[in-house]
Amino acid sequence: MSTLLTQATRRWQAADPLLPWPTLPTGCGPVLIGAGPDGGLASAGTCDHWVGEPGSLELAWGAARRFRLTPCVAGPDVADGLDRLLARWRDHLAEVPGTDQPDTAAIVTWPSRDIGGVAALRRRGLAPAEVIAARLAGRSGADQPGEGRPEREPDAARPARLADVLTLDQLRIRRAEAADLDVVTRLGLQVVRYDAHFTSVTERLGTEAALECEAAGWLSGPAPWTWLAERRGRPVGLLSAERPPSTAWIAPLSVAAPVAYVVLTFVEPGERGRGVGAALAGHFHREADASGVAVTLLHHGVLNPLSAPFWSRQGYRPLWTTWEATPARAIR
């Protein structure tokens, strides 16, 4: 097993230096093994079973029951090794009661730049659902040539337009306070409703109450990492983030530390394209960088037509891709 982990580490580091060393956490049972054509160890993985607690906000972000495979695959034939492991996982899930129910999902989080596994994931019926994107401290979209950012003139070379000046002059970014709980909850709920078009995000019966409870926690500290954008005193945008060490749940996905996490970002439809989102992100990034954050992570839907181009312009790029099959037993 140590040889397998060493080989996987070398491949991951070659693909993306931000990736951590692969590990196999304790799962629901014995380690699943994928044997190579020669009978040797080609892949291994553990499966974790998760059941959402009624009334929790986490239930809004996906299926009520989730089965997550943590894979470790050696070379040279990554596609074959992962395919064999996915077949073992499929057989495992077939024996678990209820994995054929609609509100279940089988999930694999795979390094975005490790393209060797993509064919196997697709062949087994999983589809890319979400991206975990990363921004290193001090990074802007202009620092990432060749990563999908369209060519544009430097800001200094673009003549200022009256509309641009008016848009910026009328916009105010301020830190949210406890008195803004209703506004933060309302805008946060719009994130859930918008993302539901593209992923398994679902507004459930207790989602609004759970979001209000979470938001109250975000706003309870002396300097919350939650900001509102206001136009003529009317809230039109929101960004809320977690400081380290509250990000311990996602920090292991990056070798850089400490880690911040963007929980929610929303801009009213009529305000999109007017610099509101960029102003919110810039305000947050300046504070995160000044606080010593090494990398900021966030989730966005693969099919969301706004997220990928926007976050790329803010200096983010894909680190992990979450692949999903619903129901869980849909894996081929």
Side-chain angles (χ1 to χ4, degrees):
M1 189 67 71
S2 61
T3 301
L4 178 72
L5 290 169
T6 299
Q7 292 176 347
T9 298
R10 289 172 181 165
R11 194 183 73 257
W12 279 15
Q13 289 301 301
D16 190 336
L18 264 184
L19 292 172
W21 285 28
T23 59
L24 287 178
T26 302
C28 61
V31 174
L32 303 173
I33 300 296
D38 60 356
L41 183 61
S43 56
T46 56
C47 177
D48 175 67
H49 299 191
W50 180 90
V51 179
E53 181 180 346
S56 71
L57 185 58
E58 182 60 31
L59 267 177
W61 305 127
R65 296 181 66 196
R66 304 170 203 170
F67 304 87
R68 187 179 299 273
L69 176 71
T70 301
C72 182
V73 184
D77 194 341
V78 175
D80 181 72
L82 180 57
D83 186 75
R84 293 170 183 268
L85 178 61
L86 291 172
R88 291 293 310 277
W89 190 38
R90 173 203 60 198
D91 296 342
H92 163 69
L93 293 178
E95 298 176 354
V96 178
T99 51
D100 58 343
Q101 297 301 305
D103 205 3
T104 64
I107 300 169
V108 180
T109 301
W110 186 258
S112 299
R113 292 183 174 179
D114 190 359
I115 62 174
V118 170
L121 291 161
R122 293 181 59 195
R123 185 164 55 246
R124 291 292 175 179
L126 291 109
E130 285 187 319
V131 164
I132 299 174
R135 171 195 176 269
L136 290 170
R139 180 67 58 87
S140 68
D143 299 323
Q144 300 187 81
E147 293 197 6
R149 183 174 183 270
E151 294 290 335
R152 55 180 272 179
E153 294 179 286
D155 290 341
R158 298 170 58 211
R161 296 181 302 165
L162 180 60
D164 292 335
V165 175
L166 289 177
T167 295
L168 293 174
D169 284 348
Q170 295 168 358
L171 188 69
R172 178 194 179 203
I173 306 297
R174 68 170 178 85
R175 196 183 303 273
E177 303 172 347
D180 297 307
L181 178 59
D182 289 347
V183 172
V184 172
T185 302
R186 176 175 59 82
L187 294 178
L189 193 61
Q190 297 308 308
V191 177
V192 175
R193 291 171 178 170
Y194 187 74
D195 284 354
H197 290 88
F198 316 110
T199 66
S200 55
V201 171
T202 304
E203 182 182 356
R204 301 179 187 271
L205 185 61
T207 295
E208 184 172 4
L211 180 56
E212 183 178 33
C213 182
E214 288 283 329
W218 303 336
L219 302 176
S220 63
W225 270 15
T226 299
W227 289 269
L228 291 171
E230 295 179 334
R231 177 100 52 202
R232 300 188 186 92
R234 182 176 69 88
V236 297
L238 163 74
L239 187 149
S240 186
E242 289 181 342
R243 289 183 174 90
S246 298
T247 56
W249 63 277
I250 198 170
L253 294 184
S254 169
V255 72
V259 174
Y261 178 74
V262 177
V263 183
L264 294 172
T265 307
F266 183 76
V267 175
E268 293 281 4
E271 291 284 342
R272 292 169 189 164
R274 303 181 66 188
V276 177
L280 282 164
H283 204 88
F284 160 63
H285 290 154
R286 286 189 291 275
E287 182 146 341
D289 291 353
S291 299
V293 167
V295 64
T296 300
L297 303 178
L298 58 81
H299 286 81
H300 70 73
V302 170
L303 295 179
N304 187 325
L306 303 179
S307 291
F310 171 78
W311 290 116
S312 178
R313 289 194 298 270
Q314 311 314 313
Y316 290 79
R317 54 85 164 176
L319 181 62
W320 298 87
T321 301
T322 298
W323 295 74
E324 186 172 306
T326 303
R329 205 175 292 183
I331 296 179
R332 293 194 287 266

